[in-house]
Amino acid sequence: MFRGYASNGFHKEVLVLFKGMKGLDIMPNCYTFPIVLKACMNVNGVAEGGQVHCFVIKGGFRANHFVGTMLIEMYSGWRFVGEAYKVFGETVERNVVVWTLMIKGFVSNRDIVSARRLFELAPDRDIVLWNIMVSGYIELGDMVEARKLFVKMPNKDVMSWNTMLNGYGNNGDMEACKMLFEEMPEHNVFSWNSLIGGYAHNKCFSEVLDTFKRMLLAGKVTANDATLVTVLSACTKLGALELGKWVHAYAENHGYRHNIYIGNALIDMYAKCGMIDSALDVFNHMNERDLISWNTIIGGLAAHGRGAEALSVFSQMKDSGEKPDIITFVGILCACTHLGLVKEGYSYFHSMIEDYSITPHIEHYGCMVDLLARAGFLNQAMDFIKKMPMKPDAVIWAALLGACRVHKNIELAEVALERLNEFEPDNPGNYVILSNIYSEFGRWKDVARLKVAMRDTGFKKIPASSLIEVDDRVVEFYSLDERHSETEQIYTTLKGLSKLLKLSKHLPDCQELAIES
C-alpha cells in the first residue's frame, strides 16, 4: 500500500496510512520508513519528518543504512545539514551511497570545505561522487579548484567532461570551454548542448549557430529538444529567420512536431522575426499549451499592433482554465496601448489586482503610463506616475518624453528629460527628443543649448546596427560601415536605391539628425 501510494504521487495519503498503522500498533520495518520519510520530504512536512525520525529511534532503526540514507537526504533537502550529519555519524553501514548523499548535502548547502573534508575521508569514491564534488566547486564559481580535482579524477566518463563544460560556460570562460570540448575523447548530445548552451549563456549567438551547424556536419549525434530550443532562441536574437525555418522543419522531421518547448520557441522566433501569422499557425496547431505558450502569442500579437487578436486570445486563455500571471498582463496592457483602449486598460489593470491577486510590477505601471501618454492624456499619465508605490524608472520617463513629442507638450517633456538624466546622464538620445520638440516650436536657442549640453556629456549617440541574413550567415552592419569585403558593391547598390527614391519624390525625414549635425 505504501509503495503504491508513493509511486503514484499520493504522498499525503502515505502519511495518513502511516498514522493509521501506528494507531493499530503495527510496527513498521526498515523498508517502510524510507517511503514515509520520502513522503515527508515531498510534502515539505518538516514536523512530520521529525516525528517519524523519533519513531525510527524508538523502534531501534537508528543504525539501519536504508533508513539513515533517507534521513540524510530528507534533512539535507530541508537545509538541516547539521541534523543530516548527526544521522550520518550514527549510521554503522556507510556504503558509497551514504557517503555520496552526505557530501551532496554539504555541497547543496554551499559548505564546500566540509564536503571536501568528507570526500577525502571516503573509503570508496565512484564517478558519481567525483562529479558531485567537482560540481560543488563549479557552483561556487571556483573553476580553478574544479579543474584541479577534474584532472585527478580517475576513469572520467563523458558526464564528467560535460560537467566541466557546463562549469566553464556558466562562469563565462568560453575559451576554456571550447578548448576542453576539443580535448574530449568523445561527444554526446549533452556535450554539444553544453558548448551551445555556454555560447547562448554568454550571448555569443552567432557562435551558437556555427556550433549547431558543426554538430550536424559531424553527423554523430542527433539534436534533441534542448538543442533546438537554444538554437531557435539564438535565431530569435539574431533575426536569422531562414535558419529558424530550417530548424522548424528539422524538428518536425525528427519527431518534435508536438513538443511544447520547441513550439514555444518557434512562436517566439516567428513573432520577433516579423512572421506573426506563422507564430499563430504554430500556436493553433499545438496539442498542448502552457502558460508560456499563451504569454508568448499574446505578447507577440500586441507587439505587432494586433491588439484585438491579443485580447481575443486572452479570452480563450481564460476559457481554457489557464491562470494568467504578471507577464500575461504586460502583454494585455501593451495590446490596449496599441489600440488606445484607455478605459479597458484600466479595467485589466484593476482585474489583475482584484481577480487574480497579482501585485502590479513596475512593468505594469510603465504600460499604463505609456497607454495614457500615447492616448494624449499626458497630465493623467503624470498623476499616475506620482501615485506609483515605487520610484519610476528610465523606461517610464522615456515613454512620457516620447509621447510629449507626439503631443507637443514642452513643459512635461522638460520634466521627463530632467528625470531621465538622473538615470541616464550620458545618453544623448534623450536630448535629441526634446530638441526635436523645441525645433517644432521654433525655439532655436533651446535647441542650441541642448546641443551644447549633449556635447558636454562627452558621449556620442551610439550608432544603431542592423543584422541581415545572407548566404546562411548573419551579418551585422552600422551606418557608413566599411568593414565588409564587398563594401564597394554595397554602396553602389545603395546609391542606386537612393536615386530611385528621389525619382519617386520620396525624401527622408532628417529631423532626428538635427542636433547631431
Side-chain angles (χ1 to χ4, degrees):
M1 285 294 290
F2 281 110
R3 197 176 300 279
Y5 277 132
S7 61
N8 287 283
F10 298 125
H11 305 298
K12 289 184 179 179
E13 285 75 5
V14 169
L15 300 183
V16 171
L17 189 64
F18 180 71
K19 186 177 180 181
M21 186 179 185
K22 286 196 300 178
L24 295 172
D25 290 327
I26 300 172
M27 189 63 188
N29 60 25
C30 62
Y31 301 106
T32 312
F33 283 117
I35 299 172
V36 178
L37 289 167
K38 185 79 171 180
C40 292
M41 189 171 70
N42 285 325
V43 300
N44 200 28
V46 177
E48 291 86 350
Q51 291 167 7
V52 176
H53 189 183
C54 290
F55 205 93
V56 165
I57 295 170
K58 290 177 182 178
F61 293 96
R62 180 187 299 202
N64 183 275
H65 78 275
F66 291 114
V67 179
T69 298
M70 196 60 241
L71 282 167
I72 292 168
E73 185 177 352
M74 180 184 76
Y75 282 126
S76 296
W78 290 334
R79 310 188 78 82
F80 300 153
V81 71
E83 292 298 319
Y85 190 63
K86 285 180 185 177
V87 175
F88 175 79
E90 294 168 354
T91 305
V92 178
E93 298 178 38
R94 297 179 194 160
N95 59 15
V96 68
V97 176
V98 175
W99 283 89
T100 300
L101 279 172
M102 190 62 249
I103 291 169
K104 184 180 179 182
F106 281 125
V107 167
S108 299
N109 287 276
R110 303 180 74 80
D111 185 355
I112 199 69
V113 174
S114 298
R116 184 61 181 269
R117 177 179 56 80
L118 214 57
F119 176 79
E120 297 296 343
L121 293 172
D124 185 18
R125 293 180 286 192
D126 62 7
I127 196 68
V128 175
L129 184 50
W130 278 93
N131 286 340
I132 287 172
M133 197 66 231
V134 170
S135 297
Y137 285 111
I138 290 172
E139 287 171 14
L140 294 175
D142 189 352
M143 291 306 300
V144 173
E145 200 59 42
R147 177 73 185 194
K148 288 179 182 177
L149 199 60
F150 176 74
V151 169
K152 294 178 182 178
M153 187 189 301
N155 304 317
K156 301 179 185 71
D157 63 4
V158 68
M159 192 55 66
S160 309
W161 290 87
N162 292 346
T163 299
M164 284 298 295
L165 282 177
N166 279 318
Y168 282 125
N170 292 336
N171 285 285
D173 191 348
M174 283 312 299
E175 191 61 36
C177 184
K178 185 179 178 182
M179 287 176 62
L180 189 72
F181 182 84
E182 302 302 340
E183 290 177 30
M184 291 179 68
E186 61 173 321
H187 304 121
N188 61 14
V189 68
F190 302 105
S191 312
W192 287 98
N193 286 354
S194 296
L195 185 60
I196 290 170
Y199 280 127
H201 180 74
N202 291 282
K203 299 183 177 10
C204 304
F205 301 115
S206 293
E207 287 81 357
V208 169
L209 303 189
D210 290 341
T211 306
F212 175 62
K213 293 170 188 175
R214 180 185 164 192
M215 183 188 90
L216 295 178
L217 287 171
K220 294 182 180 179
V221 298
T222 303
N224 62 14
D225 56 349
T227 322
L228 300 178
V229 168
T230 305
V231 172
L232 285 168
S233 178
C235 290
T236 303
K237 297 291 184 183
L238 295 172
L241 178 61
E242 292 307 313
L243 181 58
K245 289 179 179 178
W246 187 91
V247 174
H248 187 178
Y250 180 95
E252 292 195 343
N253 291 334
H254 286 79
Y256 293 112
R257 180 185 294 270
H258 299 300
N259 184 287
I260 191 169
Y261 305 108
I262 292 175
N264 291 342
L266 284 168
I267 295 169
D268 191 45
M269 188 270 296
Y270 281 126
K272 289 179 179 174
C273 287
M275 302 281 289
I276 189 63
D277 287 322
S278 295
L280 268 172
D281 186 61
V282 172
F283 177 80
N284 289 330
H285 284 88
M286 292 177 77
N287 284 356
E288 178 188 1
R289 297 169 183 148
D290 61 8
L291 182 59
I292 295 173
S293 314
W294 292 100
N295 285 350
T296 307
I297 195 63
I298 288 171
L301 287 165
H304 280 263
R306 292 164 66 164
E309 289 172 83
L311 298 180
S312 174
V313 172
F314 180 57
S315 296
Q316 295 173 38
M317 176 185 180
K318 290 189 291 184
D319 291 341
S320 75
E322 189 73 60
K323 187 177 180 182
D325 67 353
I326 57 174
I327 298 173
T328 316
F329 280 100
V330 169
I332 293 304
L333 293 174
C334 284
C336 291
T337 299
H338 285 291
L339 292 171
L341 301 175
V342 175
K343 184 178 177 182
E344 290 81 354
Y346 267 115
S347 176
Y348 284 119
F349 185 80
H350 291 302
S351 172
M352 173 177 66
I353 302 168
E354 295 165 7
D355 299 334
Y356 298 99
S357 302
I358 296 174
T359 302
H361 290 210
I362 195 165
E363 293 84 0
H364 302 107
Y365 286 101
C367 288
M368 287 301 298
V369 170
D370 195 25
L371 169 62
L372 290 166
R374 286 198 194 197
F377 301 111
L378 295 174
N379 291 325
Q380 290 93 320
M382 193 66 192
D383 289 340
F384 196 88
I385 291 172
K386 290 177 181 177
K387 294 175 183 177
M388 285 172 54
M390 72 282 287
K391 186 177 179 181
D393 61 6
V395 175
I396 289 176
W397 291 116
L400 184 64
L401 179 60
C404 286
R405 182 193 171 187
V406 173
H407 297 288
K408 299 179 173 53
N409 188 316
I410 293 178
E411 290 75 17
L412 279 183
E414 290 172 335
V415 173
L417 179 62
E418 184 180 349
R419 296 291 182 270
L420 263 175
N421 283 339
E422 295 174 7
F423 293 95
E424 304 171 342
D426 300 325
N427 184 358
N430 299 326
Y431 291 94
V432 172
I433 296 174
L434 182 55
S435 174
N436 289 329
I437 301 175
Y438 282 144
S439 65
E440 288 175 8
F441 281 88
R443 291 173 54 168
W444 304 113
K445 287 184 179 180
D446 288 317
V447 171
R449 176 176 56 80
L450 279 185
K451 193 172 184 179
V452 172
M454 187 185 83
R455 287 177 178 172
D456 286 345
T457 65
F459 286 79
K460 290 187 176 181
K461 191 175 180 182
I462 299 172
S465 65
S466 295
L467 296 167
I468 186 169
E469 206 173 0
V470 180
D471 295 332
D472 203 27
R473 292 190 63 83
V474 176
V475 180
E476 182 181 33
F477 63 92
Y478 297 88
S479 175
L480 305 178
D481 199 337
E482 296 182 353
R483 297 172 299 168
H484 199 275
S485 59
E486 298 180 33
T487 296
E488 189 175 339
Q489 297 95 311
I490 291 171
Y491 280 104
T492 300
T493 303
L494 184 60
K495 287 177 183 177
L497 290 171
S498 297
K499 289 179 181 178
L500 288 174
L501 286 171
K502 287 178 182 178
L503 289 172
S504 65
K505 297 182 179 180
H506 174 83
L507 294 175
D509 181 4
C510 298
Q511 189 179 36
E512 293 284 350
L513 304 175
I515 194 169
E516 298 181 82
S517 60

